[in-house]
Structures are given as structure tokens and as C-alpha cells.
Amino acid sequence: MITKANRHWLIIVIFSISGFTGLIYESVWSHYLKLFLGHAAYAQALVLAIFMGGMALGAWYAAARSDRHTNLLLLYALAEGIIGLFGLVFHPVFDFLLQFSHGAVLPWLAPGWGHVWKWLLGSLLILPQSFLLGTTFPLLSNGLLRRHDTGTGWTVSMLYFSNSIGAAIGVLVSGFVLIGRVGLPGTILTAAIINILLALFVYLLAKSEQETPKFPARLPSRHALPLIFLMASFLTGMASFIYEISWIRMLSMVLGASTHSFELMLSAFILGLALGGFWIRRHIDNIADPVALAAGIQIIMGLFAVSTVPLYNFTYEFMSLVLSALDRTDSGYFFYTITGHAICLFIMLPTTFCAGMTFPLFTKILLQNDYGERSIGFIYAANTLGAICGVFIAVFIGLPLLGLKGSMLLGGGIDIVLGFLLLLILVRNVSPGNIAINLLVCAAVLAAAYGLTEIDKNRLISGVYRTGTSVFARASEILFYRDGKTATISVTRLKDDNVIIATNGKPDASIIMGDNVKEPSQDEITMVMAAALPLAIDPGIRQAANIGMGSGMTSHILLDWPGIESLDTVEIEAAMVEGARHYLPRVANVYEDARSHIHIEDAKTFFSLHQKKYDLIVSEPSNPWVSGTSNLFTREFYRDIKRHLNPGGMLVQWLQVYELETRLLMSVIKALHEQFPYFDIYSTDNSNLLIISRLEKTDQALDAGVFTNRNIGRELAHVGMTSLQDFRARYLGNEKVLGAMINRYNISPNSDYFPILDLNAERSRYLGLNARELVEYRTMPLPLIKLLLPGYYQDARTRVNDSTLHTFARRSHKAARIYAEFTGQAMDSDMALPDGSAAMVYILNQPPRDCQDPGYEKLWINNLYQLALNTLPYLQPGELKDLIGILKQNCVDNMSVSQLQWLVLYKALAEGDAKIIRQTAQELLHNGERWRIDQRRFLFAAALLGAILQQEYDTAIEVWNTHIDDLYGKSSIPFEVLLLQSLIKSS
């Protein structure tokens, strides 16, 4: 039997669980709506606004009608049950409406009306549940007050605390546990089931007992007191959410603009409210003058908020110190996450603690003054209505016009002025003179905070969460800084004239500017190639689109091609477009060419609204760990984008391999390959990929016209590319070579509803993981691409430019130097031989007196093996044939059997003779005790490759099973060997 006292505590616990599910909904709705609205900042703003707006309406409605009902707990149970039912159907309804909007509605709407439709539909999707969530607090609070004799202030404070603490936990559990385990549909389904169970449990508790109203309303609704406190609650909510939006932007610079960072900030904000409510519960029923206390708290809250401006600079130092102390391990990542939460609390807690006290105090004041049960609902409604205004003021006025510091001071000023107004109007024993003096003091504090404190922009642009350095190079010059609607954009010039444009401190593009620039930046290589490579693949491109402005260079170079008739550059943040002007005149075409059209819009909405089709779409978003960016790497995005390609059109996807582990990269490629059957992957340097995706297979050879185009050829030469060989040196393979390897990874395709990338990319960034093994596998000593894709190499001689930023290109250049040394031909450059190569050339080129000398035999084989490593993957077939001819001239008649076998294997690999490759490699491997471990692994891979080329998969499996444990044991198997295994398994 549950006693009355136990029932009281049980209901408080139930309400904490209700808060837990409520913030799961808010968190998951943000994920869902950013799929529809296109950016996390817009989704967060809309969810906050509609969530709070719906709750305001619900609270207002419940407050106005609660005195007509005799069992409010039953109504509460009904509300929880309906919320749960909405949750059960939310995902299928959302998915249907999303497809319906993009396929049937947005194509027929003008862009302005398209935005109206998106925001209206997004509001309708979450408004009913938000309305019902808003009814829960007044219904449960008044129902509990009717049934129990505890102090009114204690009950309201305790319920406010329990609901808020549940919410603070809910947002963390949702983001860090549930979405990763069961995806967005499973997470919202979990919350729905909990709601339904809560409804059934409260129904059983409430059905047997009637309630007796204890607070009949005696104070007229038009009386000044309730109007004053309703307005005070409104302004408090407004100021609090100006703080929240500003803090989110501020702390994104310290923690990174990832989804998990947002969840940490939201949890810290709500936790502060909960702790404030918890503290006031012991004092609220014994306060002599709650109005004076409420006024004082408002003033203190405003001052605390203003103090976060100077304190904010120290968070960079703290984060830098923490990163220097932590290991880049999973345990280090755990403590890094905890540190992020601690930083959020350091900034937010004093202010939100005060904010958490105001709601119970305002409610207590109205209940004491006979405003009745409606006090709770109306105060709650006014507070949440103010929150909506705060969100929109911060996003659309405060940040763009006032900046971070100005927005914080605006919120602080609202709270301080409100506190003094309450003192002046309602507190009788405080003289107006003292109020005026104190108000002037506070005004002076605000003025000093605005004039004397400064948020150091060198800290804001430091990207401390990535670099561990709290201050950007002070020797640099900040050319541009703006707090945009979705992100903070900066442009800086370093001492070497490298100009970097960054989003929330994360560099997105860089170009070395100046009149006498000799070396390009690393980003320039990728941006130039992202434009030139598709033009070399299909010179007939007419209609093109580029997703992401960046520096503007990719769009600029595309417009240098005379065949381009129209280019749409789609960028969601207007400040990025303004910032990129600092790259003029290097990107002049984007701003001046009549064929160029810049659209401030998210990509999904742009393509749905305009319904254009293109020959080429280039997608170059920011890193996948940035919140909202990962939506441009999902199966749903690729499904939609292919509808906007003309027959024969291609999608070029720029994807970073640094700060991204291989399995996450494969999740993206899986999502892409699921929608595009054919793809080719190129590495622009050792850190970036370009994935060329098409719906139809094509064997069209690359066209060299981009090198003869005056402007594009000049840009290509500037980044070290002068011929098609420089493209081919960066080729990593297609679906035939890499398709089976992609499927080897036990990871699902990245999806909007199962956002693997969004949830895991930040951890990958912190741990410093990368997927460079995909770039570097081509440097294995076997000529994989040449043998698996015959006909790809068509040149007579290797002429690849040296590139310190690309391993294969650099080694190809060195291979050409070795070839020149062997054959005595002149080189185009005076580059010296690679380390150790001079001795190798001498030993292999000079016949000894006794070719059967056992010591010389091993030396000769070791050097032949070294020659294979340095030449097989890099030289053209004709050059390899020349080398073999030279080697055969040198005492071939006196070679040992082993020497001959190694030379035969080298020749077979050069000529692509699969049968000889397999036979010879197996024979040499049989005498494996004679060879070094690296040589045995080379023979093992060669035997596998030969069997694959002959389609002798049973033989390949036998070779694998026989040697894999002996050769690798407990050490990790290289990517290229796993690639060969995947080709065997896919047969």
C-alpha cells in the first residue's frame, strides 16, 4: 500500500522522468528539424522557440481551465499518454512530410514561400507535443498542492527541480547513448514508451482520490500585481534565452561546434535552473519579503551574466591546459567531455542558478496574493513566451548586429533594469534615491563591461578545441570578423601571407596571397583540383553548382572554363560570402562573372526549391564533426541530390581524411555508393579526397584541355600539376577496386536517422585518428591499380611533379630519377637520388667478378627488392621494361636460382603476367626462412594478387590461410592486404 507521503515523493520522481523524456524530445527534434531546415543553428532556434512557445500555450491553457476540474492528476496522465502516442508516430509522419515537401511542395513554391512552408511545417510537427508538455507542470503542481499539505513554495520548487534535473540528464542520455544505439527513430520511440508507462502509472495513483482546490482566485485578473509579475517572468525568460543562445555561440569556440558540444551546453543550462530551484525550496516558504528577494536576484543575475564576458577569455586557457594534460585516448576523451561540461557550468551556473530561483519565487508571490492556481501556469507560460522572444532576438538581432559581447550585455541589462523596477514599484521600505544610486552603479558596471572588457578575437579564432593553443598567432592580422546567424566567421592573414577563412575557429579554406607567391597552401591544391578534375573528366559541362562557398576558389576556377553557362554557389551563412571577398582578386569570377549566382540557402532546400538539373555538382562542406555538416554526407542527401543531375552528370564530393577514422569514412562512402553505382576516388594531398560519383559507367579518357586553358592551367601549375599524370598519380581506385573493401567494414551507411558520422566524428577528431591508409595504400610495392585496372596508364614516360604533400606523387618523381640514373637519360629537374638509391643503382648495374658469391647473392636480391619498392607502383610499363633489360644484361647466366626467381617476379609484376606472379611468389614464399619479414609479406601479397588476377580464388584462400598468422600474428594487417582479402571474398 502506497502511503500519502510516499505518493507525494513518487509523483516528484515521476515528474523527473517526465522532464527526462521532454528533453529527449527537444534534443531529437533538433536532429530531425535540421534535416528539414538545413542547419543546426536554425533547427536549434526553431525547436527552442516552438518547444517553449507550445509549452507556453499549454501552460496558459491549463492554468485558465484547471479550476474547472476536480482531478488534475488524471488530466496530467492523459497529457502524458497523448504525448507518448504522438511520439510513436512522429518518425513515419516526419519522413512522409519531408519527402512530400521536397518532392511535391517546395518545387512549386517561390524561395520566400519555401521558407515559410518549412518553418510552418516544422512548427506544426512539434507544436502539439510541446503544447501538451506545457500543460504538465501546472497540472501536476496544482494536483499535488491539492492533495498534500506541504508548503506551496517547497512543492513548486521541488517539482521545478525534479523536472529540470530529469531534463538535464535526458539531453545527455539522448545524445551520448540512445541515438548511437537505436538512432533517432528508436530514441523518440523510447521516450514515447516511457510517457505511456508514466501515464498508466499516474492514472492508477490518481483515479481513486479526488482533489480539493486550495487556492481559489480572489485577486482580479486585471490587478497590477499579477500583470507586473507576468511581465517580469516574460522578461526573465527573454534574458535567459539571450544568454543561452549567446553562450552556445561563445562556447562553440571553446568546445567546438559539434552536436555533443551543444548537448553539453544545454544540459549545463538546465542543470543550473534545477539547482536554483532546489536551493530555494528550503527558504521560499519562510521569506519575509519575497518581492524584494526576487528583485535582488534579478539584479544579481544580470551582473553574473555580464561577468561572463571577462571570464570567458579564461576558458580558452583552461581548455588549453586540459588538452595538454590529457592523453588522446578514449579515457582522455571521456575527461575532455567532462571538462567541456565543467566549462559550461563555470560560465552558466551562477546566472542560471539565479534564474532557477525566479520561477518558484514569482509563483509563490502570486499564490500568496490570492491569484489562485492559475499562478503556476500563467507564470510558466509568460516565462516560456519570453524565451521565444529571447531566441529570435539573439539569433536575428543580437548576434548579427551586437555581437557576442553586446548580446550578453543586452540580456544582463534587461535583468538588472527589471530588478530595479520591481524594487521601485513594489518594495515600500526602499527609498527611490537608493534605488537610483544603485541603478547608476549597475549602469556604470555595464558601461565598464562594454567599454573596458573585450573578448579577445585572437582567442575566438584560435580553435583551441582542435589545436590546444588558446591564442591564435598574435602576429597575424584579423581582416574580418562577424557573428553570423549560423556561425562566427573570421578571416586572418599570417606572416607568410597565408589568408585563412574560419568558421567558429575552424579553418575552412586558405590561400597564400601576394604578388610573388611561390608555394600554394595545402587547401589550394584541393580547391583547384575540385574544379579542374571534373572538367578533365567531362569537358562538356555546361550547368554546375557548388555547395559551400569556402574561399570561392573552386567556383572561380569553374567559371574560367568557357563552356560553363551557369554556376550556382550555395552557401548557408552570408558572413562567409562577405569574408571570402578578402581573397579578391584571386576569386573575382565568383563575384563579377555574369554566369555566377550566389544563393544564401541550405543545400537541400535550394535544390528542392529551384528544381534545376546540373552536369556537375561539387560538394565541399566543412569537416563532418561540425554540427549540421554531417547531413551532407548521408544516404538521404545523396538520394535527393542525384535527382538534380543531368544524364551523364557527376557529383564531386570533397571529404577530409584527417580527424576522421577509416570506418567512419567507409560509412560515408557506403552511403554514397548506395546511391551512385560508379565512383572514382582521388587524393588531392595526403589529407583530402575527391570522390567522383556517377549514375552511368563511362570509360572516357581524361582530357588535357584544362592544362591548355590559360587561367586554369596557370592555377594548376601553381599547385604543382602540369599534366594528366599528376591527376593519375592521385588516383586511388574505383568501385571495382575498392567496392569490396568498403563492404568489409561492419558499419552502416551514414544516414539522417542513424547519424553515425555526427555522433562519432568528434571523438575521432579528439583522438587524432585519420583515414590516411586509404591514401597511402597505393605506395605498397605492388602495382595494384595498373594490374587491377589495365589501360589506366597510357604514357611513355613518368613525368610527375614532386609534391611534398602527396606521398605517391613524391615517390613517382623519385622513381623517375632512379630510372634516369639507370638508363643515363636526362632529368627535367636536378633532384638528387633518394637516400640509399645510389648504392642500389651501383650494385644492380655493375656485374661482380663472381655472380655466385653467396654474400653478393643476398645483397643483390635485397637491392632488387628495394628497386621493386621504388619503381613498380610508379613507373610506366615501358620504363619498367627498360630496367628489366638492363638487369638481365648483368651476369644473368651466373645468377642463382633465387636471384632468377626474384628477377622473374619483378618482370612478371611489371608486365602483369598473373600466372607467373602467382607461381613465382609462391615458390619464393615456400623458402621463406631465407627472406626478411618485409620481403615475405611482399611475396605473400604478390601471390594473392596473382591468384586474384587469374580468378583462382581457392588458391588465394589457401595462401591466405597458410601464411597470414605467421606473417602478421598479433600485429595489425595493413589496409592493402585487407583490400586483397576483400577482393577474394567478393568473388
Side-chain angles (χ1 to χ4, degrees), residues 120 122 545 627 630 676 699 883 889:
L120 179 62
S627 182
S630 62
F676 290 86
D699 295 321
L883 290 181
Q889 293 172 10

Side-chain angles (χ1 to χ4, degrees), residues 30 114-115 152 183 201 293 321 356 476 483 513 643 696 717 767 791 919:
S30 294
H115 289 295
T152 57
F201 195 76
L293 178 61
L321 181 65
S476 62
D483 296 309
M513 305 291 287
R643 300 170 184 164
E696 298 91 18
L767 295 178
Q919 288 179 345

Side-chain angles (χ1 to χ4, degrees), residues 695-706:
L695 295 171
E696 298 91 18
K697 184 175 179 58
T698 176
D699 295 321
Q700 182 178 348
L702 295 178
D703 187 280
V706 290

Side-chain angles (χ1 to χ4, degrees), residues 96-373:
F96 168 77
L97 291 176
L98 183 69
Q99 298 303 315
F100 176 71
S101 296
H102 283 294
V105 178
L106 292 177
W108 300 99
L109 294 177
W113 286 106
H115 289 295
V116 172
W117 171 263
K118 288 199 306 177
W119 285 72
L120 179 62
L121 190 60
S123 301
L124 292 176
L125 278 167
I126 65 174
L127 185 60
Q129 300 98 302
S130 300
F131 176 88
L132 291 167
L133 285 166
T135 66
T136 59
F137 193 91
L139 288 175
L140 192 65
S141 301
N142 286 318
L144 197 58
L145 288 171
R146 288 181 181 186
R147 292 167 183 257
H148 297 274
D149 298 325
T150 52
T152 57
W154 186 95
T155 298
V156 172
S157 300
M158 199 63 194
L159 285 172
Y160 187 73
F161 161 74
S162 67
N163 192 251
S164 298
I165 199 70
I169 296 170
V171 68
L172 295 178
V173 171
S174 171
F176 286 89
V177 180
L178 287 176
I179 296 176
R181 298 283 179 85
V182 294
L184 298 182
T187 300
I188 206 164
L189 188 62
T190 300
I193 292 171
I194 293 174
N195 281 130
I196 292 171
L197 293 176
L198 283 180
L200 293 173
F201 195 76
V202 174
Y203 170 77
L204 294 175
L205 285 177
K207 68 176 183 176
S208 60
E209 185 179 348
Q210 295 298 309
E211 302 163 348
T212 303
K214 294 182 180 179
F215 301 99
R218 298 188 181 93
L219 197 65
S221 60
R222 295 183 181 180
H223 193 277
L225 184 67
L227 293 177
I228 289 172
F229 276 96
L230 289 177
M231 181 55 68
S233 184
F234 175 87
L235 292 173
T236 300
M238 177 191 294
S240 295
F241 274 77
I242 290 175
Y243 302 149
E244 180 176 1
I245 298 299
S246 300
W247 283 331
I248 287 173
R249 180 65 63 82
M250 289 166 65
L251 292 170
S252 292
M253 310 286 202
V254 182
L255 307 184
S258 68
T259 297
H260 284 329
S261 295
F262 169 73
E263 288 156 353
L264 292 175
M265 298 174 213
L266 183 58
S267 176
F269 183 85
I270 299 169
L271 180 59
L273 299 177
L275 294 176
F278 185 74
W279 185 87
I280 199 68
R281 85 197 190 288
R282 287 186 173 273
H283 312 280
I284 191 168
D285 290 316
N286 302 313
I287 297 170
D289 191 347
V291 174
L293 178 61
I297 289 172
Q298 289 293 145
I299 295 169
I300 294 170
M301 179 164 58
L303 292 173
F304 274 141
V306 171
S307 73
T308 63
V309 175
L311 289 175
Y312 174 58
N313 286 325
F314 294 104
T315 62
Y316 287 84
E317 302 292 343
F318 184 63
M319 178 58 80
S320 176
L321 181 65
V322 167
L323 287 174
S324 66
L326 291 176
D327 294 328
R328 296 305 173 103
T329 61
D330 281 320
S331 59
Y333 178 63
F334 173 78
F335 286 108
Y336 166 77
T337 304
I338 297 297
T339 299
H341 204 235
I343 289 173
C344 295
L345 288 172
F346 171 73
I347 291 294
M348 297 181 183
L349 185 59
T351 308
T352 55
F353 187 90
C354 292
M357 292 189 282
T358 58
F359 174 78
L361 275 173
F362 289 174
T363 303
K364 174 71 174 178
I365 291 167
L366 291 191
L367 285 172
Q368 276 186 337
N369 287 275
D370 298 327
Y371 195 57
E373 289 182 343

Side-chain angles (χ1 to χ4, degrees), residues 394-440:
V395 172
F396 295 103
I397 299 174
L399 291 175
L401 299 181
L402 303 177
L404 290 171
K405 182 175 74 171
S407 297
M408 289 302 302
L409 296 178
L410 172 63
I414 290 171
D415 272 334
I416 291 170
V417 171
L418 174 60
F420 280 112
L421 286 175
L422 291 176
L423 287 175
L424 182 64
I425 296 171
L426 298 177
V427 181
R428 296 180 180 178
N429 57 352
V430 178
S431 69
N434 288 335
I435 292 175
I437 291 172
N438 285 290
L439 180 59
L440 288 173

Side-chain angles (χ1 to χ4, degrees), residues 958-971:
E958 181 184 351
V959 171
W960 179 276
N961 292 336
T962 303
H963 298 285
I964 188 65
D965 291 335
D966 177 52
L967 292 176
Y968 290 98
K970 295 182 179 179
S971 59

Side-chain angles (χ1 to χ4, degrees), residues 51-87:
F51 186 71
M52 291 296 177
M55 291 180 70
L57 291 173
W60 197 278
Y61 180 83
R65 300 296 183 97
S66 63
D67 57 356
R68 303 181 186 183
H69 300 278
T70 58
N71 196 330
L72 298 183
L73 288 187
L74 280 178
L75 290 179
Y76 168 79
L78 179 63
E80 288 281 6
I82 298 174
I83 291 168
L85 293 175
F86 271 118

Side-chain angles (χ1 to χ4, degrees), residues 767-847:
L767 295 178
L769 302 177
N770 63 70
R772 288 196 175 97
E773 58 186 343
L774 177 60
V775 175
E776 296 172 355
Y777 91 91
R778 278 201 64 197
T779 61
M780 74 174 297
L782 297 179
L784 281 181
I785 297 299
K786 286 190 283 187
L787 297 185
L788 292 173
L789 299 174
Y792 184 75
Y793 284 80
Q794 304 169 11
D795 300 291
R797 187 172 178 183
T798 301
R799 297 180 182 274
V800 176
N801 280 289
D802 183 23
S803 172
T804 58
L805 295 174
H806 194 273
T807 303
F808 193 90
R810 183 175 67 252
R811 293 187 182 180
S812 294
H813 194 64
K814 290 181 177 179
R817 184 68 185 87
I818 291 170
Y819 173 78
E821 189 71 18
F822 261 101
T823 59
Q825 296 186 20
M827 272 287 287
D828 294 336
S829 73
D830 57 357
M831 184 190 77
L833 277 171
D835 293 342
S837 296
M840 177 190 69
V841 172
Y842 176 81
I843 290 168
L844 293 175
N845 226 0
Q846 300 298 321

